[in-house]
Amino acid sequence: MSTDELQSESIQEYLEVIYKLSQNADKVKNSEIAKKMNIAPASVTQMMQRLSELGYVNYYPYKGVNLTVEGRRIAKKMVRRHRLLECFLHYILKIKKDRVHDQACEIEHTLNDESERALCQLLKHPDKCPDTRNPIPACDLKLSSCDECMKKKRRDLGEIGKRDQDVISLADPALKEGQKARIAFIRGGHKMIRRLLDLGITVGATIVVLRKAPFRGPVEIAVRGSNIALGRTVGSSVFVEVLGV
Amino acid sequence: MPSEDKTSMEAADKQLVIALAGNANVGKSVIFNHLTGSRQIIGNWPGKTVELAKGYLRFENYDIEVIDLPGIYSFSTFSLEEVVSREYIAFEEPNVVINVIDASVLERNLYFTLQLMELEVPLVICVNQMDIALKKGLIIDIDKLQAALGVPVIPTVAIRGEGLHDLMEVAVGVAKNAPQEKKPLIRYGAEVEERIEKLVKFLKSIKLQLGYPLRWIAIKLLEDDEEVREQMESESKEIIILANQLAIELEDIHQEPCFSIINSERYSCASRIANDSQINTEIEATLSEKLDRIVTHRVFGYVVSFMVIATLLLWTFLVGNFLSDILSQLFGFFQPVDPVVSGPVISILWNGAFGGIVAGITLVVPYIIPFYLMLTVIEDSGILPRVAFMMDSFMHKIGLHGKALVPLILGYGCNVPAIYTTRILETRRERMLAALAITFAPCSARTIIILGLVAAFVSIEWALALYLIDIFIMFIVGRMAFKALSGETTGLIMEIHTLRVPSFSVVTKQTWTRTKSIIYMVFPLYILGSALVQGMYAFGFLDPISNFLAPLTVWWLGLPAIAGILLIFGVIRKEYILLLLVAIYGTNLALVLTPVQFIVLALIGMLYIPCISTLAILIKEFGWRPTIAIALANLITAIIVGGIVYRLLEFLIQSLIMI
């Protein structure tokens, strides 16, 4: 049996829903899934048992489920493809924002790695999907940066931290000077992430946005007592949760 | 220097090696200078010290060798500096390491301290810049810090020399007792420690000799440090498998990469110690912060950036011109009006050599000193990172980020240190792009040509115009190279330090150091070169060369045939172009060249090839092929632009005459 058969469309759909629901909770209840997918709770329970057998979720009867590492990987990939497709539909095909979601839901399952990557390159590595403004997870193609992706070199691409619904990147115009925020999620090349970590830009660290240079210039933040300037490309890979002024 | 007499215990006892380690811009180099009085470049921007600087000092009957390690934030292997530092500390085993930390950025600095402690070296902490911390409203409890770390902590204000004597006393004391003392350890979270223990146990069982402490190796394996992993892989496959397994366990617990877990552990530790040992008082915005707001203002910021560069150049032009005039008048008394081209060989050579000295004093010194003085003031004030911040998006147009502006501005002084400084950039590609741009930067030697030829004999406006043309060409060539040279562009990640009033002693010392190094390099070359050329001219060796290059110099560039010689010698030092012209024709060059020829010659001189010292550093840093590519890019640009400008100017003059 090939993995493609295992990951049938509905399995992917389920994993994606669990992934989204588990952003805010440790375990996801069957009833929540049933509600979100508009399916009878009994079928959900049956499906959860199957997913558990396949090793995609940990199933705790009467408590709910959470994703295994493998399940999470597949779900993330689906979410990524979904949001990339939304970008494509909206920015390239000029389809209205409120109509891209359903279309993307249908196409996402037939996309393969190659077209996913081509799409990402075409769209110049977008940060967020157009409709709900949620961040697009990084790809799992073992690349060190988006630039390297373009040059087809292979290394490790990573992300750290938890991606919540309401995080925005440091390059986001919505983030104003003087705003306090907490680092929630960093993605990008291995080297860049380690450099940021060494400078104290770690997940959970509180920062203050000090300045944003004009002409899409760098953003300067205060973190752990020091001031650090991050260019826009770096800034757009660091996501924060706004804490107020 | 005491002899290396290992048989005498007493002599061996009295020698110590002390290494200074810490983040960039914490004042390590200032301390180093204070201790050793040696020559070290100190600047208020990160990444200056790349090679290990050594100095010597005598203290309490000890001959002490002080090593200034590069400023780094971590002991990973992502930069050469990090690798050099960790290998030095582990393998050279200095008697004591002084960890200089910035009192005003305690937490971030302690993150590095914790890593030093992992290396289990005899350690003294020097909390420097206590004055800046106080201005920021931070009061540091030295005793608490000392108790938390378990190593001696000394507060200092290095720029005023405060606390340095205490620091040395304590450091020597630690060095004396170092071998017996047990090194304090900082413990991380239980689940991490448990796995470190397991690895250490395994490492002990296989009895490895790597020079590093076992605990450090264990931590680095969990962090997936490439170098350590490769070294260990050749020793024992099992340890790698075990480390991977333990790392995965940790990743499952924390749901994040293992390097990030250990990083968080260190930071939470650093944060705890920092918070326990400092009191944060609320204060009003300091003068430096207010200034900072202007310097990085969305409008004034650009005005300031522009002014920084313009001031540097105008100051050099004006003060240099003024000094040059005075010195010329003084020396005019001695200066040979006409070069000696006949008579005894000795007098020809003497005449040439003397001409070289005069040219050096009247043409070089007056420009070098004011330039370096202003450059040092600008560097030491910490304004350059702000300029880099403002200019980042423009620098991206030539494939570089804001930080590359720092070496580029240095390039206006001399290309050699500027190219060396490109080491602050992340990738080889960025360094090469920056180096290419730098070779087009009008360094002080080229400034001398422009001033000596164009400002003196055509007009000051034309001299400025040449500068603008040069910057424009730098941009165009930079952009072309950026498009041609494939590779990744990294984003800007740069610490921005507090603005400060430049220290008088640092500025004067450094200006002198830089000027001295130029003078030492330049004068012998001038004297020899000038004598040699005058001799060759007198004996008619120069004509064949001139004639050979004539199609290029005379036909395409419209220059006199002698230009071929000038340009060949100009490779040694760009000023030779001017110097030799004077050596051959005397001081009144207006009789020899037309205004158009002045302009074209200056333009070619500016662009055509990096001087020999620059070529040498290019080869050292990048190898032969990139150096040849850069030199060719220079040469081709110069020939194309020179020919076009010559024809344009001729055409303009013709049209003006017609009207």
Side-chain angles (χ1 to χ4, degrees):
Chain A
M1 243 189 319
S2 80
T3 47
D4 283 329
E5 274 171 75
L6 282 175
Q7 295 171 22
S8 74
E9 215 172 282
S10 65
I11 287 178
Q12 291 172 353
E13 228 15 78
Y14 269 100
L15 294 177
E16 209 179 321
V17 167
I18 299 168
Y19 177 77
K20 283 178 187 163
L21 289 172
S22 63
Q23 294 294 314
N24 312 315
D26 180 32
K27 292 188 186 68
V28 181
K29 290 212 169 71
N30 286 4
S31 56
E32 285 176 87
I33 303 170
K35 197 174 143 202
K36 180 100 186 176
M37 295 182 77
N38 221 353
I39 293 174
S43 354
V44 174
T45 309
Q46 207 182 349
M47 189 63 176
M48 288 309 116
Q49 282 161 349
R50 199 177 147 211
L51 287 180
S52 165
E53 280 161 25
L54 291 170
Y56 296 147
V57 300
N58 301 310
Y59 182 47
Y60 309 92
Y62 310 109
K63 285 185 188 149
V65 294
N66 58 24
L67 292 171
T68 62
V69 173
E70 181 59 12
R72 205 181 146 77
R73 193 188 65 79
I74 297 169
K76 226 182 206 174
K77 210 175 177 77
M78 283 305 125
V79 172
R80 172 175 163 79
R81 287 180 182 172
H82 179 95
R83 291 183 182 156
L84 277 175
L85 281 164
E86 287 184 340
C87 290
F88 174 70
L89 293 167
H90 179 65
Y91 296 119
I92 308 286
L93 302 186
K94 310 285 177 210
I95 291 169
K96 286 239 168 67
K97 273 184 200 169
D98 50 345
R99 292 215 297 273
V100 295
H101 177 81
D102 292 343
Q103 259 285 287
C105 263
E106 286 174 29
I107 315 174
E108 69 190 40
H109 305 288
T110 53
L111 217 59
N112 65 9
D113 279 357
E114 192 184 358
S115 23
E116 173 198 315
R117 182 168 171 185
L119 204 54
C120 186
Q121 289 183 347
L122 171 76
L123 293 163
K124 302 212 165 62
H125 323 290
D127 299 331
K128 286 175 173 180
C129 70
D131 57 346
T132 52
R133 308 296 300 156
N134 281 324
I136 296 171
C139 68
D140 56 0
L141 295 177
K142 304 260 174 216
L143 294 160
S144 93
S145 74
C146 289
D147 274 312
E148 276 209 15
C149 174
M150 293 303 219
K151 306 292 176 252
K152 293 192 175 165
K153 279 186 200 160
R154 318 210 102 216
R155 247 195 279 144
D156 195 17
L157 186 86
E159 58 179 50
I160 56 165
K162 205 169 170 196
R163 195 184 50 79
D164 282 313
Q165 296 297 320
D166 50 355
V167 297
I168 57 173
S169 88
L170 282 177
D172 197 302
L175 201 64
K176 295 278 180 281
E177 291 178 3
Q179 230 152 23
K180 242 185 171 178
R182 183 182 296 127
I183 308 278
F185 168 69
I186 307 171
R187 67 172 185 197
H190 187 65
K191 192 171 169 179
M192 187 193 86
I193 291 184
R194 304 267 313 234
R195 288 254 293 134
L196 293 175
L197 291 180
D198 284 338
L199 286 168
I201 302 175
T202 58
V203 170
T206 310
I207 61 138
V208 180
V209 178
L210 293 178
R211 260 182 285 270
K212 300 183 107 177
F215 303 108
R216 291 187 49 76
V219 51
E220 186 185 340
I221 59 168
V223 60
R224 299 182 195 268
S226 64
N227 299 353
I228 292 165
L230 302 175
R232 277 296 154 109
T233 47
V234 181
S236 63
S237 309
V238 179
F239 291 83
V240 296
E241 177 192 336
V242 174
L243 298 176
V245 182
Chain B
M1 280 299 303
S3 65
E4 285 181 35
D5 188 6
K6 290 269 160 75
T7 52
S8 154
M9 275 306 287
E10 223 177 46
D13 266 344
K14 294 204 180 291
Q15 287 180 40
L16 289 177
V17 178
I18 294 180
L20 297 169
N23 285 180
N25 204 61
V26 291
K28 278 197 312 325
S29 299
V30 179
I31 292 178
F32 179 77
N33 267 352
H34 256 287
L35 293 181
T36 64
S38 163
R39 292 149 293 279
Q40 250 283 297
I41 307 269
I42 314 142
N44 193 10
W45 48 270
K48 185 72 64 70
T49 328
V50 180
E51 277 175 0
L52 303 182
K54 265 188 203 180
Y56 297 91
L57 117 118
R58 232 189 125 66
F59 187 84
E60 287 178 357
N61 297 325
Y62 282 93
D63 279 312
I64 302 174
E65 184 180 309
V66 186
I67 307 286
D68 189 14
L69 292 171
I72 52 173
Y73 297 99
S74 150
F75 280 123
S76 61
T77 49
F78 291 119
S79 73
L80 193 63
E81 286 108 320
E82 292 172 346
V83 179
V84 166
S85 298
R86 81 185 199 183
E87 285 180 354
Y88 178 82
I89 291 172
F91 302 143
E92 300 295 317
E93 293 177 15
N95 298 92
V96 59
V97 175
I98 297 177
N99 175 207
V100 184
I101 66 180
D102 180 349
S104 67
V105 194
L106 200 55
E107 187 178 337
R108 221 267 323 288
N109 278 264
L110 284 175
Y111 173 78
F112 182 72
T113 305
L114 294 180
Q115 295 186 64
L116 266 173
M117 293 176 76
E118 283 169 10
L119 278 170
E120 295 169 34
V121 286
L123 198 61
V124 175
I125 311 285
C126 161
V127 187
N128 192 29
Q129 303 184 353
M130 290 292 281
D131 54 334
I132 295 179
L134 211 58
K135 275 188 200 148
K136 280 191 179 174
L138 297 168
I139 300 163
I140 289 160
D141 188 330
I142 297 295
D143 294 336
K144 271 191 180 164
L145 191 57
Q146 185 161 313
L149 291 169
V151 292
V153 178
I154 311 295
T156 60
V157 181
I159 216 139
R160 294 201 295 262
E162 288 169 24
L164 294 182
H165 193 269
D166 290 352
L167 178 68
M168 282 315 291
E169 257 175 15
V170 173
V172 168
V174 169
K176 274 194 284 195
N177 302 322
Q180 300 91 17
E181 297 219 347
K182 204 171 148 27
K183 312 293 177 299
L185 289 177
I186 299 285
R187 299 274 166 200
Y188 301 120
E191 73 282 3
V192 177
E193 279 298 331
E194 190 187 308
R195 285 168 181 85
I196 294 174
E197 295 279 303
K198 273 187 193 167
L199 277 173
V200 169
K201 221 177 195 175
F202 192 90
L203 284 166
K204 269 186 190 149
S205 73
I206 55 173
K207 295 196 178 70
L208 276 180
Q209 289 300 319
L210 272 187
Y212 292 111
L214 296 183
R215 183 181 157 82
W216 187 84
I217 296 177
I219 294 171
K220 286 290 148 188
L221 283 173
L222 286 178
E223 278 186 299
D224 197 18
D225 180 282
E226 240 170 81
E227 274 212 8
V228 171
R229 197 191 54 219
E230 271 165 29
Q231 280 174 15
M232 295 302 295
E233 227 162 12
S234 56
E235 303 279 344
S236 152
K237 280 257 187 290
E238 291 90 18
I239 187 77
I240 302 293
I241 295 166
L242 179 65
N244 279 346
Q245 186 196 326
L246 295 172
I248 290 170
E249 282 173 27
L250 280 175
E251 287 181 2
D252 275 349
I253 297 172
H254 290 267
Q255 289 294 317
E256 55 181 307
C258 209
F259 65 81
S260 157
I261 297 168
I262 290 179
N263 169 279
S264 304
E265 289 282 336
R266 275 196 206 111
Y267 257 114
S268 63
C269 201
S271 170
R272 201 188 60 236
I273 297 172
N275 288 333
D276 285 352
S277 47
Q278 74 183 14
I279 304 160
N280 201 345
T281 56
E282 282 298 319
I283 43 149
E284 285 174 40
T286 59
L287 179 65
S288 139
E289 275 166 28
K290 283 178 198 157
L291 263 176
D292 210 1
R293 271 177 223 151
I294 300 171
V295 172
T296 51
H297 185 271
R298 51 189 57 243
V299 179
F300 299 127
Y302 292 103
V303 178
V304 172
S305 295
F306 176 76
M307 272 170 49
V308 167
I309 299 168
T311 307
L312 183 64
L313 298 180
L314 281 179
W315 158 274
T316 312
F317 266 48
L318 296 177
V319 177
N321 226 345
F322 173 72
L323 290 177
S324 181
D325 275 354
I326 292 179
L327 287 169
S328 299
Q329 275 166 15
L330 279 177
F331 273 85
F333 199 63
F334 306 100
Q335 197 172 356
V337 180
D338 291 309
V340 178
V341 291
S342 59
V345 179
I346 290 295
S347 81
I348 293 174
L349 292 181
W350 167 249
N351 180 273
F354 187 72
I357 296 175
V358 172
I361 293 173
T362 57
L363 294 176
V364 182
V365 175
Y367 294 103
I368 295 281
I369 293 176
F371 177 82
Y372 277 135
L373 195 67
M374 185 56 83
L375 183 69
T376 314
V377 167
I378 289 172
E379 265 188 289
D380 200 47
S381 69
I383 206 167
L384 281 183
R386 270 103 184 147
V387 177
F389 176 79
M390 296 305 286
M391 303 300 278
D392 183 57
S393 36
F394 298 107
M395 295 298 285
H396 274 288
K397 299 250 186 292
I398 54 171
L400 295 168
H401 57 61
K403 245 200 279 183
L405 206 72
V406 174
L408 208 54
I409 290 176
L410 285 181
Y412 280 75
C414 178
N415 285 186
V416 177
I419 286 167
Y420 190 74
T421 310
T422 59
R423 288 189 174 199
I424 63 171
L425 301 177
E426 282 81 5
T427 65
R428 186 178 153 83
R429 171 175 181 258
E430 283 170 346
R431 293 192 56 208
M432 288 203 293
L433 285 174
L436 175 68
I438 288 167
T439 58
F440 284 100
C443 67
S444 50
R446 285 173 250 196
T447 302
I448 290 163
I449 302 177
I450 296 173
L451 292 179
L453 290 175
V454 179
F457 295 101
V458 184
S459 74
I460 195 96
E461 289 85 2
W462 270 105
L464 283 172
L466 281 180
Y467 255 90
L468 292 180
I469 291 174
D470 189 53
I471 290 168
F472 181 68
I473 289 170
M474 190 198 286
F475 181 81
I476 299 287
V477 176
R479 187 149 179 86
M480 275 161 58
F482 166 47
K483 293 286 170 199
L485 208 63
S486 65
E488 57 177 323
T489 310
T490 50
L492 174 78
I493 302 176
M494 173 180 68
E495 190 179 0
I496 298 202
H497 302 281
T498 318
L499 280 177
R500 64 183 180 208
V501 178
S503 138
F504 180 77
S505 73
V506 169
V507 167
T508 46
K509 224 179 220 171
Q510 199 179 329
T511 304
W512 173 234
T513 306
R514 286 173 154 169
T515 308
K516 202 163 67 177
S517 73
I518 289 274
I519 288 176
Y520 280 3
M521 188 171 81
V522 158
F523 270 76
L525 276 173
Y526 270 24
I527 294 166
L528 278 176
S530 182
L532 189 72
V533 170
Q534 204 164 86
M536 281 171 74
Y537 181 67
F539 297 106
F541 291 149
L542 296 187
D543 285 344
I545 306 175
S546 305
N547 293 339
F548 177 74
L549 287 170
L552 182 69
T553 48
V554 179
W555 176 76
W556 172 248
L557 297 172
L559 296 171
I562 191 73
I565 304 293
L566 301 178
L567 295 179
I568 285 173
F569 279 92
V571 178
I572 299 170
R573 291 284 306 174
K574 291 275 177 121
E575 306 93 310
Y576 272 175
I577 295 173
L578 178 61
L579 187 70
L580 300 187
L581 216 49
V582 175
I584 296 168
Y585 296 115
T587 38
N588 196 356
L589 297 174
L591 300 173
V592 194
L593 297 172
T594 67
V596 174
Q597 285 177 328
F598 276 117
I599 293 170
V600 174
L601 184 61
L603 188 64
I604 297 288
M606 226 159 70
L607 299 174
Y608 79 113
I609 207 163
C611 71
I612 209 157
S613 333
T614 309
L615 289 172
I617 186 117
L618 283 171
I619 292 167
K620 184 168 162 259
E621 295 290 301
F622 304 109
W624 281 96
R625 283 184 48 172
T627 304
I628 292 170
I630 289 175
L632 277 178
N634 278 248
L635 189 62
I636 293 167
T637 311
I639 292 172
I640 294 173
V641 174
I644 293 172
V645 167
Y646 161 60
R647 280 165 178 75
L648 271 180
L649 287 176
E650 286 292 326
F651 177 76
L652 270 176
I653 288 169
Q654 292 299 324
S655 333
L656 284 175
I657 292 169
M658 299 285 276
I659 295 162

